[in-house]
Amino acid sequence: MPSLTPHQIVAELDKYIIGQSAAKRAVAIAIRNRYRRQQLPPDMRSEVAPKNILMVGPTGVGKTEIARRLAKLTGAPFVKVEATKFTEVGYVGRDVESIIRELVENAVFLVRAEELERVRGEAEHRAEKRLLRILLQQAENSAGFDAEGDEGGSIRQRREKARANMLKLLRAGALDDRLIEIEVEKKRTPFFFGGPGGEQLDLDMQSMFEKLLSSRSTQRREVTVAQAKDILIAQEAEALIDEDKVHPLAVELAENAGIVFLDEIDKITSGHGGEGPDVSREGVQRDLLPVVEGTTVKTRYGQVRTDHILFIAAGAFHRSKPSDLMPELQGRFPIRVELDDLTKDDFIRVLTEPKHSLIKQYQALLAIEGLELIFAEGAVEAIAESAYYVNQTTQNIGARRLYAVMEHLLEEVSFDVPDKLTGKVIIDRPFVQARLGEIIKDEDLSRFIL
């Protein structure tokens, strides 16, 4: 895990998320504390628990994005789950331990990706040798070489020369379009133990059935040399990876660097005025408590301790308040941060400042069709004003409102490119007001509510 300082973490988050400095500081400190904990003596290290975070704020202000970007920035396995998922099918709901199983699966994916990158050089070397052997065999079959009775070794010499020439052409990419046949492995699993109740199936039994029902076979496929190169590299890389090494590393990564984002936690409080009995919501809290508190979860990759996994919970808390959570669960989220509603100025910044802002995305998309999209002075402000107005007069969905507004604003432009529009289009304030003026006039605003 990169040893980024809190200031560096916040600076990276600032590239993608506008405002919310309190939330950014909280997660930056939490991540840095993980690095600090790893430097402690083993006996003290085991005693230092993560300080879980509760984010309170309306939808669309950056709660999920902060957690997601944080995980990507640190290379940590990440899981986002809505707490309401555990109440959808009644009191039993989903098995809350499935959160940790999914986290470990993500950790396995990350570790395997690192291992694949580590062995890539050797895999490319092996794949090149296999590919060269196939190409030479194809050439020999066409030329009718016969080594029997080869007096003086002339055929062998010709083969060595052909091999050197073929290798040169292969590395230069001159053979990329040539068709060859290779063996491709198929793995098929006739049955899948998923769906309701699948997570409850004993993991050892499930693993046994998967091994019994999974079957491997190969088929010959005609592909280009360029395609064959990628397929053979992937096959060789898979063969070089030691799964017995990957799984323990993945478990360790999940235990010490995993991030679980529990969204909509306000909707499982007894104070939330939603449908369904309070006992169901309180039951979910009781089920979540041991996982957040620290327990051992059995997965197909081994036992996973949850003591040092960072849990970030989030909710709007419109109809309830954090104190409506069970006291025991409240105590497991000692850090509380409030995220602010987005203002018109925030919308202007959201549209322009992030690394891949919405305006930059539309400009890049239409540039593919040869259209230069220019936003004149005042246009961005007019877009922000419209989005802010709709949020204030209907349901406030934060920055997500900009998606609907921008799509409506550029609907005709996107439709007419490239058939009717080419060259350059300038978006100015009058253009924005003409296209979005009906938002102001339309009382129910049904077309603009996501």
Side-chain angles (χ1 to χ4, degrees), residues 183 243 295 327 388 421:
E183 293 282 343
E243 294 292 346
T295 188
Y388 181 74
L421 276 180

Side-chain angles (χ1 to χ4, degrees), residues 278-331:
D278 283 349
V279 66
S280 176
R281 293 190 286 269
E282 291 177 2
V284 173
Q285 292 186 56
R286 291 193 191 95
D287 289 344
L288 283 170
L289 181 59
V291 177
V292 178
E293 194 173 34
T295 188
T296 300
V297 176
K298 187 176 183 182
T299 74
R300 69 178 63 199
Y301 305 108
Q303 304 279 2
V304 178
R305 292 289 306 172
T306 67
D307 303 68
H308 300 289
I309 293 172
L310 177 64
F311 289 87
I312 301 175
F317 289 97
H318 289 313
R319 304 179 185 175
S320 59
K321 48 190 181 297
S323 58
D324 289 328
L325 290 166
M326 290 171 52
E328 297 89 345
L329 194 57
Q330 288 182 52

